[in-house]
Amino acid sequence: MRIPGPEEIRALHEKHAPTAEALTSVHRHCELVWSVAEQLLASPRLAHLDAELVRAGCLLHDIGVYRLYDDAGRLDHENYIRHGLLGQELLESEGLPATLCRFCSHHTGVGLTRQDVVSQNLPVPPADYLAETAEERLVMYADKFHSKSHPGRFLSPEAYAAHVRRFGEEKVTAFRALRDEFGDPDLARLTPQAELPPVTG
């Protein structure tokens, strides 16, 4: 499988971004998620992962957000949960392999189950959208440490755990399992890449 590099991926972002502001927000977030994953990949215990695939997954995972902007440049927050599936469709239309398309549709939260979709009446087809491979889990996990709703800010593990608790203790448990698998990033080292210090609580 040929994996696109950062410049090719940036060109995809530029092609699909409806505005310069959207490009800056989404592509910068994807780069920061890659900075988290890249740091974690330095651990010898993660040497078995395909770093090139993880990089592509990080840089592509949120590309579907572009399809949620209206003609006036406003983001449809109400349907934001759909951005993963929209990203999968976008990458499929570009001819990218399923392995890459799944990074879009399988990174939301700490994994969406069919039960989540049904019980929360989410606007996506009922199915399990769970990260299955170690590379998918790492992209999903790294994504938790930076939020576009906090421009330029990283989130500490404690801050994300507090955030996800509102969806149930099982989500906190799932996040803890990811921390055990991949370790905690050193956000202090990454902060110079962002504009503001991490949110810690």
Side-chain angles (χ1 to χ4, degrees):
M1 179 182 68
R2 192 185 71 78
I3 300 174
E7 292 307 314
E8 189 176 347
I9 291 172
R10 181 177 175 86
L12 275 176
H13 278 265
E14 291 173 345
K15 176 180 177 180
H16 292 282
T19 65
E21 292 78 11
L23 175 65
T24 297
S25 172
V26 175
H27 187 257
R28 182 67 178 141
H29 165 72
C30 291
E31 288 183 318
L32 290 168
V33 170
W34 165 235
S35 75
V36 173
E38 184 178 29
Q39 185 192 88
L40 295 171
L41 282 167
S43 170
R45 67 191 178 118
L46 299 183
H48 62 288
L49 271 69
D50 183 334
E52 192 179 359
L53 182 58
V54 170
R55 180 181 65 195
C58 289
L59 295 178
L60 288 167
H61 78 280
D62 262 0
I63 200 164
V65 173
Y66 297 135
R67 291 195 166 175
L68 289 168
Y69 284 90
D70 65 16
D71 292 339
R74 290 183 302 256
L75 183 62
D76 180 0
H77 293 281
E78 190 173 319
N79 285 298
Y80 190 80
I81 196 78
R82 297 184 60 232
H83 78 280
L85 281 177
L86 292 172
Q88 176 177 324
E89 292 169 4
L90 186 157
L91 295 185
E92 286 172 348
S93 74
E94 290 285 348
L96 271 68
T99 301
L100 290 174
C101 299
R102 282 180 53 89
F103 284 109
C104 294
S105 53
H106 292 72
H107 78 270
T108 302
V110 288
L112 280 179
T113 65
R114 176 184 293 271
Q115 178 59 32
D116 293 330
V117 174
V118 172
S119 65
Q120 298 174 44
N121 197 28
L122 300 176
V124 294
D128 289 326
Y129 303 98
L130 302 171
E132 294 176 0
T133 67
E135 287 82 4
E136 288 176 357
R137 289 193 301 276
L138 179 54
V139 171
M140 180 178 71
Y141 179 62
D143 182 46
K144 308 293 86 85
F145 295 101
H146 186 265
S147 172
K148 292 185 295 297
S149 63
H150 295 280
R153 280 203 162 168
F154 290 110
L155 302 176
S156 71
E158 294 74 23
Y160 185 78
H163 161 76
V164 80
R165 180 165 274 113
R166 63 190 169 132
F167 298 107
E169 282 301 318
E170 70 277 8
K171 300 300 184 183
V172 179
T173 300
F175 181 60
R176 189 178 305 119
L178 290 167
R179 289 180 73 181
D180 290 342
E181 182 176 6
F182 298 113
D184 289 347
D186 182 349
L187 297 176
R189 274 178 50 208
L190 295 172
T191 295
Q193 300 180 47
E195 297 165 9
L196 298 166
V199 176
T200 57

